[in-house]
Amino acid sequence: MPWNFGDILDAIAPVLPQDAPAFAHLDRTITWGESTRRTNNLARALIERGAKPGDKVAFYMRNRPEYMELLNACFKARLTQVNVNYRYKAEEVFYIFDNSDAQTVVYGSEFRDIIEELRPRLKKVGTFIEVSDSNDIAPFAERYETLAETGSGERLDIKRSPDDLLFIYTGGTTGMPKGVMWRHDDLREIQLAAGRKLGPVPETMDALIEAIKATGPAGPHLPACPLMHGTGLLSSLSVVMSGGCIVTLESPSLDPEELWAAVERRKVQTIAIVGDAFAKPMLRALEEAPGKYNLSSIVTIISSGVMWSTEVKRGLLKHIPQGIMTDSFGASEGVGFGASMMTAAGEIQTAKFQIGDRCKVFDENDQPVEPGSGKPGIIAMAAPIPVGYYKDEEKTAKTFRTINGERYSIPGDWCTVETDGTLTLLGRGSVCINTAGEKVYPEEVEEALKTHPSVDDALVIGLPDEKWGQAVTGVVKIASGQSFDEAELRAHVREQLAGYKTPKRIIIGAVPFRAPNGKADYKGVTEFAKQELGMA
C-alpha cells in the first residue's frame, strides 16, 4: 500500500498509550497524547501562516524534542523538512535557506544573531519561529511553544500523498550542499525492507495498528549524532513511526557521561552514532568507570556514515555483552547498501558488509564486478531511491543513473566483492588518491593507522607530488599519554598494506578532523597539511 508519514501518525495516535513518552530531554517528557495535540496545533499554525503543501520548512537547531516534533507537524501539514547544519557560517546557512526556497524558518534561540543578520536577504521566507526556553524571542519571530500549545489539538482534515517529500541536505566531499529528495512512500518501504530481514512486518496500516496494540510502542532510541544529518534523522524516524520515544541530550557536543546516564535513566534500547568519532569516547568513559551505568536495556548500537573499527566494537561489547554492534553502510542518496552485525559471540572485519538485496557493484564500464575477482567496483542501489537533487538536474543525472534499463543511486563509494557475496568498503571515489597510477582509498589506510595504540584518529589525503602525482599523506590525532613516531607509524601501515599505500609523510593534525556528524573534513585537513608541509 502507498504510505505517508502524516497518515501513519494519525493512524497510530489513538492506539498508543496516551501517557507513553514520545520525546525525552533531561527532566522533560512529552507524552504521545501531548505530542499528538501539539503537532496538530503546529501543523495548523504553519498552514494558517501561508505554508502550502510542498513548501519547505528549514530546521535550524540542535538535537532537542522540538526537532522531531516539528518534523511530525510538517508531515501532517504536507510540508517538506529542510535540515540546516548548525555548524555552518552565516553565508552557508543563507545558501541552504535560499537554495531550498524555505517558506518557514524554525531556529533555536542560540542562532538568533545569524537569523537577524540574514533576515533582510531572506525574501522567500514568510514565517520565522524561534525555539526558546524563555519568553525572550526576536521581535520578528513567533514563539514555538506558544504555537504548539495554542489550539484544540484536533486532527487535521487533509488528504496527503505518498509523493510528499522529505529533504536531506548533504554536503558530500566536494561542491555546495545538495538537497536529496525522498518520497515518503520510498522511505517507508526502506524501513519495512530492513524489518523484513528480522521477521514479518506490518505491510498495511491496519496491520501496523494491530502490531502496536499487540506489542506496544518501539523501545526508546537515543540519536547521539545530530538529527540534522541522515543517520540521526532516519534512525529516529523509524522509531517514531512505531510509536517509540526519542531521547535527546543537552550537551552541544558528545558528552559520554551524559549519554550513558540517559541510557540508564530512560532505559534506552537503541543508540545511533557515526563511527569511532563517537564510539571511542563512549568506550573510554566506560573503561574509566566500569560498572557505573546500568546498560542492560541496550539492544543495539547503530553506526552509519563512516567506518566503525572492530577493536572499538569489541571494547564496547565487554561492557554491553548482550548488545549488537550494527554497522550500516549507506548514504543520504541511498539507504541500505549493506550491513554488518557484531556480537560478543563473533567478530566482523572492519569495513566488511553483507550486501543488500537491492545493491549491485559495477566497474567503470557499467559491467557487473565478479565476486572474488579482487577488482574494485562502484556500488549502486536500485529502487526505492531518491527522486534526485533539488534544483540540480546535472548532479541528479550524474548520481542517479540508468544501467541496463534500471535506475540506480550511485553516490560514489568503491568496494571489492568477495566470493561469498560480502563487500569490503574501500571509500568514496571523490577522495580516492592516484599515486603513480595506483588507486589508494583513504579509509583503508586510515583504518590501518588507527590500529596503532598511539593513534586516536586519522585521515589520509593525497597531496600534489612531482614524482608520484599524488603523495599519500596521513594526518593523525595522538591518543592521550602517547608519543608520536612517524617512522614507526609508517612501518605499522606497511606491515598491513601494500607498500604504495604507505603514507609518504605522517603529521600531527592541529585542526578538527570531523564535522559534528562524525564525517571526515578532508578539505580542511588537506589545507592544514599543505600549510604544515610548506605547500600552501
Side-chain angles (χ1 to χ4, degrees):
M1 63 166 289
W3 294 92
N4 178 282
F5 292 127
D7 290 343
I8 294 175
L9 290 168
D10 280 349
I12 67 175
V15 300
L16 288 168
Q18 295 303 285
D19 60 351
F23 306 107
H25 187 87
L26 295 179
D27 295 328
R28 182 186 182 196
T29 301
I30 300 174
T31 67
W32 266 100
E34 293 168 335
S35 174
T36 298
R37 172 179 56 82
R38 287 165 59 87
T39 52
N40 286 342
N41 286 341
L42 282 165
R44 190 168 280 108
L46 292 170
I47 293 171
E48 289 173 351
R49 282 152 183 77
K52 302 181 296 296
D55 277 352
K56 318 305 184 300
V57 178
F59 289 48
Y60 186 23
M61 67 186 99
R62 299 182 191 272
N63 286 17
R64 53 185 301 151
E66 289 83 357
Y67 201 108
M68 294 303 295
E69 189 175 58
L70 178 63
L71 182 65
N72 286 357
C74 286
F75 290 153
K76 291 181 175 183
R78 299 193 65 193
L79 304 176
T80 301
Q81 176 242 326
V82 172
N83 55 312
V84 181
N85 189 327
Y86 51 72
R87 292 295 181 91
Y88 280 169
K89 302 297 184 182
E91 283 304 310
E92 295 171 308
V93 172
F94 174 79
Y95 170 84
I96 300 294
F97 289 160
D98 184 66
N99 181 262
S100 67
D101 302 315
Q103 188 275 340
T104 300
V105 170
V106 184
Y107 64 93
S109 57
E110 63 184 304
F111 304 116
R112 184 191 303 167
D113 289 347
I114 290 180
I115 295 297
E116 286 185 317
E117 176 186 341
L118 298 178
R119 191 169 66 92
R121 299 163 57 194
L122 297 174
K123 306 300 184 184
K124 304 173 188 176
V125 179
T127 305
F128 292 91
I129 299 172
E130 185 168 329
V131 179
S132 175
D133 295 323
S134 72
N135 290 319
D136 175 28
I137 64 168
F140 57 81
E142 298 189 69
R143 187 168 179 259
Y144 176 97
E145 191 64 18
T146 300
L147 300 183
E149 289 294 340
T150 301
S152 65
E154 292 182 6
R155 174 174 169 171
L156 278 71
D157 182 14
I158 187 170
K159 183 174 177 58
R160 307 184 183 96
S161 167
D163 295 325
D164 288 347
L165 295 175
L166 178 146
F167 280 11
I168 302 177
Y169 264 81
T170 176
T173 52
T174 59
M176 298 301 290
K178 302 173 288 293
V180 181
M181 301 184 290
W182 278 98
R183 296 172 62 249
H184 284 210
D185 190 52
D186 289 335
L187 276 178
R188 181 60 180 173
E189 171 56 28
I190 288 170
Q191 292 177 350
L192 295 177
R196 290 185 192 111
K197 296 178 181 179
L198 304 175
V201 298
E203 303 285 357
T204 66
M205 197 75 79
D206 288 343
L208 174 61
I209 292 170
E210 291 304 315
I212 291 176
K213 285 181 179 179
T215 62
H221 172 70
L222 193 160
C225 48
L227 288 165
M228 66 174 176
H229 285 288
T231 299
L233 181 71
L234 297 182
S235 62
S236 298
L237 180 59
S238 295
V239 173
V240 167
M241 292 303 146
S242 297
C245 175
I246 304 302
V247 179
T248 48
L249 304 177
E250 176 71 11
S251 177
S253 57
L254 178 67
D255 181 338
E257 287 77 15
E258 182 192 8
L259 184 151
W260 293 127
V263 168
E264 179 177 31
R265 180 183 179 190
R266 297 289 183 174
K267 295 181 172 54
V268 169
Q269 292 188 10
T270 58
I271 305 172
I273 66 172
V274 182
D276 284 351
F278 285 77
K280 280 189 173 183
M282 291 163 60
L283 174 59
R284 193 176 300 122
L286 296 180
E287 296 284 4
E288 291 172 353
K292 179 179 179 180
Y293 306 99
N294 182 348
L295 308 179
S296 60
S297 64
I298 295 178
V299 175
T300 184
I301 300 178
I302 307 160
S303 174
S304 182
V306 298
M307 294 187 189
W308 186 12
S309 63
T310 300
E311 293 76 17
V312 177
K313 294 177 189 175
R314 183 189 305 137
L316 287 168
L317 285 168
K318 290 180 181 178
H319 299 273
I320 314 169
Q322 81 285 358
I324 303 171
M325 304 296 113
T326 303
D327 206 349
S328 176
F329 169 37
S332 300
E333 295 89 346
V335 181
F337 281 102
S340 70
M341 296 184 182
M342 179 169 157
T343 67
E347 294 192 354
I348 299 293
Q349 179 185 340
T350 300
K352 192 177 182 67
F353 295 90
Q354 291 289 334
I355 195 168
D357 297 336
R358 300 175 292 118
C359 183
K360 292 187 178 180
V361 181
F362 297 103
D363 64 19
E364 292 176 293
N365 298 314
D366 291 345
Q367 297 300 310
V369 169
E370 183 178 347
S373 66
K375 183 178 180 181
I378 193 165
I379 303 165
M381 174 69 75
I385 58 176
V387 176
Y389 295 120
Y390 186 57
K391 298 195 309 189
D392 199 327
E393 294 183 3
E394 181 180 349
K395 289 179 180 175
T396 294
K398 186 176 295 185
T399 300
F400 303 98
R401 296 198 288 117
T402 299
I403 300 175
N404 298 326
E406 186 164 8
R407 187 171 181 263
Y408 292 93
S409 173
I410 308 177
D413 295 285
W414 287 75
C415 70
T416 56
V417 185
E418 314 307 323
T419 52
D420 62 359
T422 60
L423 59 85
T424 300
L425 186 62
L426 298 174
R428 183 61 58 91
S430 57
V431 293
C432 180
I433 302 165
N434 191 324
T435 180
E438 297 282 3
K439 287 185 177 180
V440 176
Y441 294 90
E443 286 93 336
E444 185 180 20
V445 186
E446 291 162 6
E447 290 307 309
L449 280 167
K450 287 191 288 185
T451 60
H452 193 279
S454 71
V455 176
D456 193 47
D457 200 0
L459 292 184
V460 172
I461 56 175
L463 295 182
D465 185 272
E466 289 186 7
K467 181 178 180 181
W468 308 104
Q470 284 185 300
V472 180
T473 306
V475 184
V476 298
K477 184 179 295 183
I478 297 301
S480 177
Q482 298 289 327
S483 59
F484 172 68
D485 187 325
E486 182 181 7
E488 181 179 329
L489 290 178
R490 293 184 70 246
H492 179 73
V493 174
R494 188 177 288 274
E495 288 176 358
Q496 302 176 65
L497 302 175
Y500 68 86
K501 298 179 182 179
T502 302
K504 300 293 188 290
R505 289 297 311 274
I506 300 176
I507 60 176
I508 297 176
V511 292
F513 277 34
R514 301 183 185 276
N517 65 334
K519 292 188 178 180
D521 181 8
Y522 286 109
K523 182 179 179 180
V525 167
T526 298
E527 292 174 354
F528 166 79
K530 285 182 176 180
Q531 291 179 350
E532 285 291 296
L533 297 174
M535 302 173 64

